Amino acid sequence: MDQARWFDRGNPAGGTRTNPPYLGDMVIGTNDDGRLELFVLDSSGEVWHMWQTSSLDWSVWSSLGRPTSVSTEQDPPVAVELTVARNKSGKLELFVLAGGTTVGSVFHIWQTAPNAGWGNWKELAWAGELNRGISNIASTAHEDGRLAVFLDGAHGGSAGIVHKFQTGANGNWDNWSAGEGSPAEFGGFSADPMAVGRGLGGRIQVFVHSARNFFWRRWQLDKNAGFSDFYLVVPPGAPSDYQDLLLANNQDGHLELFTIGGDGVVYHMWETAPAAWSYVWSAFAEPQPGERVIPAERALLGAALNGDGLLSLFYRGPGGPVGNPGSTVWRIEQLAANANWGDWVFMGGSDTLIGPSAVGTNAQGRLELFVSSDNSIWHQWQESVNSTTVWQPWDLRASWFDRIRAALMG
């Protein structure tokens, strides 16, 4: 990465650019007191985390171990994907999707108290419940605070999206649902990717990518209630096998959906009323003449609201000339809360492919972005709320230079 723009947080497991363990999925959660906490998987299935100790300072890396249980001792699944949510009592709860040679499983772990340490791993799905083909885990909360987890997988021989809800806020969990939604006339669901969020009216909504490169959507019929059937959403541009999906909330709570069309353009549409959408895709301009996103999984790096209620979107662009394996990072922000968008801003790049990422808003309302590249975690953050082109550590280095120059010049 460009070390003038990014701060190197290292590899928590000690891996290097050429040696394992390699870094995998990454998510960020917000503690009850507003401090961010970052979670990272390595290739051995070990989960690592670090957290803010003050407004901008972070702890060292600490391990949460490898999730395992008695039911998976004969075929221990390896953790492959993360999702995090905050429960009704204010405690972060981390969910891990793990896959083995014959079975899959889901584990979870939660804080012992709000803003505190962590307990032990528990199995949310024992090995016999889910097959090895499960993928794409997502979590959110009902309007009444009950957590919900969604998977693309199978249950009882029925393929589709499965979910599991808490029976009460901070309480026990219901059984996994049967697989829901596999319209044969459209080739069934591949659900790769899948996006889940809670929008207007407190209703959870689910978007998935089908096997024949269409989008499908279902939503809660009312807050805390059951779900509709799946309905078709026509994707923008030419169909693509790698049509990324990202959901984010605006300041007023309405959801906005982002994707990358088969033409390499970033598109978005938005909620207009509870569970109702514009259904007209709007394209973002290209960051620079001839610049196109390479349609790929996880090309959309994340989105978050800053302290002034402006939504920012981050994406991974190509690294340069054809054949360059590197990546660039771009950011675009709303001009006003719940309103139109500005122009793309370049945030640096790497000569290797940028992998999983996470973005969050700290207690001061400043955005913080983490990406993985060169088998390391890289970090960049806003100098102040709404700072557009000036992000740390670029400004951190510049400010030191300015101070030294001022001292030398008297």
Side-chain angles (χ1 to χ4, degrees), residues 341-365:
W341 294 75
D343 299 320
W344 290 103
V345 176
F346 177 66
M347 298 188 65
S350 172
D351 60 357
T352 60
L353 185 67
I354 290 174
S357 61
V359 59
T361 307
N362 64 30
Q364 292 73 42

Side-chain angles (χ1 to χ4, degrees), residues 79-160:
V80 294
E81 195 171 340
L82 300 169
T83 184
V84 65
R86 195 168 70 217
N87 64 28
K88 183 72 171 180
S89 65
K91 295 181 286 188
L92 289 178
E93 191 155 347
L94 183 69
F95 302 88
V96 172
L97 174 63
T101 56
T102 59
V103 298
S105 193
V106 177
F107 299 88
H108 63 145
I109 190 173
W110 54 91
Q111 289 176 318
T112 56
N115 315 310
W118 293 76
N120 298 314
W121 289 103
K122 303 291 184 182
E123 201 165 17
L124 194 63
W126 62 278
E129 286 188 279
L130 302 169
N131 71 14
R132 66 183 297 268
I134 57 174
S135 61
N136 293 291
I137 187 169
S139 61
T140 188
H142 287 79
E143 188 272 342
D144 61 12
R146 292 177 298 125
L147 296 183
V149 176
F150 296 81
L151 296 172
D152 169 28
H155 175 77
S158 179

Side-chain angles (χ1 to χ4, degrees), residues 86-248:
R86 195 168 70 217
N87 64 28
K88 183 72 171 180
S89 65
K91 295 181 286 188
L92 289 178
E93 191 155 347
L94 183 69
F95 302 88
V96 172
L97 174 63
T101 56
T102 59
V103 298
S105 193
V106 177
F107 299 88
H108 63 145
I109 190 173
W110 54 91
Q111 289 176 318
T112 56
N115 315 310
W118 293 76
N120 298 314
W121 289 103
K122 303 291 184 182
E123 201 165 17
L124 194 63
W126 62 278
E129 286 188 279
L130 302 169
N131 71 14
R132 66 183 297 268
I134 57 174
S135 61
N136 293 291
I137 187 169
S139 61
T140 188
H142 287 79
E143 188 272 342
D144 61 12
R146 292 177 298 125
L147 296 183
V149 176
F150 296 81
L151 296 172
D152 169 28
H155 175 77
S158 179
I161 306 302
V162 298
H163 62 255
K164 192 179 185 78
F165 300 146
Q166 284 183 313
T167 55
N170 307 315
N172 296 324
W173 291 80
D174 201 353
N175 297 324
W176 288 99
S177 70
E180 298 170 335
S182 185
E185 67 272 25
F186 287 102
F189 284 125
S190 65
D192 194 2
M194 175 177 68
V196 177
R198 194 178 82 228
L200 296 175
R203 302 185 194 189
I204 296 172
Q205 304 194 47
V206 181
F207 287 83
V208 295
H209 182 216
S210 77
R212 294 189 180 177
N213 301 320
F214 287 95
F215 295 157
W216 293 82
R217 180 176 79 91
R218 72 184 313 210
W219 58 92
Q220 281 185 310
L221 298 172
D222 200 353
K223 62 183 181 181
N224 310 314
F227 282 83
S228 70
D229 293 329
F230 274 100
Y231 289 87
L232 177 67
V233 178
V234 178
S240 169
D241 290 334
Y242 301 104
Q243 220 135 10
D244 205 358
L245 285 173
L246 177 67
L247 271 176

Side-chain angles (χ1 to χ4, degrees), residues 362-383:
N362 64 30
Q364 292 73 42
R366 290 178 278 181
L367 298 177
E368 302 203 32
L369 175 66
F370 295 84
V371 301
S372 61
S373 182
D374 305 324
N375 206 24
S376 189
I377 303 296
W378 299 84
H379 182 197
Q380 194 174 158
W381 58 94
Q382 284 183 310
E383 180 193 44

